[in-house]
Amino acid sequence: MFAAVFDLTSQELVAEVDRVARAETDALAAMAAGTQAYFAACGKGVMEQIILRDGPAVLGWERWRAIDSEHFGGKIRAG
């Protein structure tokens, strides 16, 4: 059950990061803005709890990384 919550939260996070990054016209500025948006979102409230605290603790490092890679891994490679 928690894996589904984590997956949905990750989808919401990637949508927000993507929105912020795509607002930039320069690639370096987009990477910086996206990174800042990621840490700003993960640094507070429910997002912090689900993504950074409970995610690794409940799912374990391997499963946490696998789900994270599904959402963010492609962003790093494909931009």
Side-chain angles (χ1 to χ4, degrees):
M1 173 83 65
F2 180 78
V5 171
F6 182 82
D7 188 63
L8 181 60
T9 304
S10 294
Q11 289 175 32
E12 293 171 2
L13 179 57
V14 79
E16 175 62 15
V17 168
D18 208 32
R19 183 190 65 75
V20 170
R22 289 184 184 276
E24 299 293 335
T25 56
D26 176 72
L28 185 57
M31 287 176 25
T35 301
Q36 289 174 342
Y38 178 87
F39 286 114
C42 286
K44 61 185 174 198
V46 173
M47 190 74 68
E48 174 188 16
Q49 189 67 41
I50 293 170
I51 298 293
L52 298 181
R53 294 182 188 270
D54 292 343
V58 173
L59 299 171
W61 178 249
E62 293 295 321
R63 183 72 180 125
W64 181 85
R65 287 294 303 141
I67 295 172
D68 184 68
S69 291
E70 289 174 21
H71 298 289
F72 286 100
K75 294 294 179 194
I76 294 169
R77 288 187 301 273

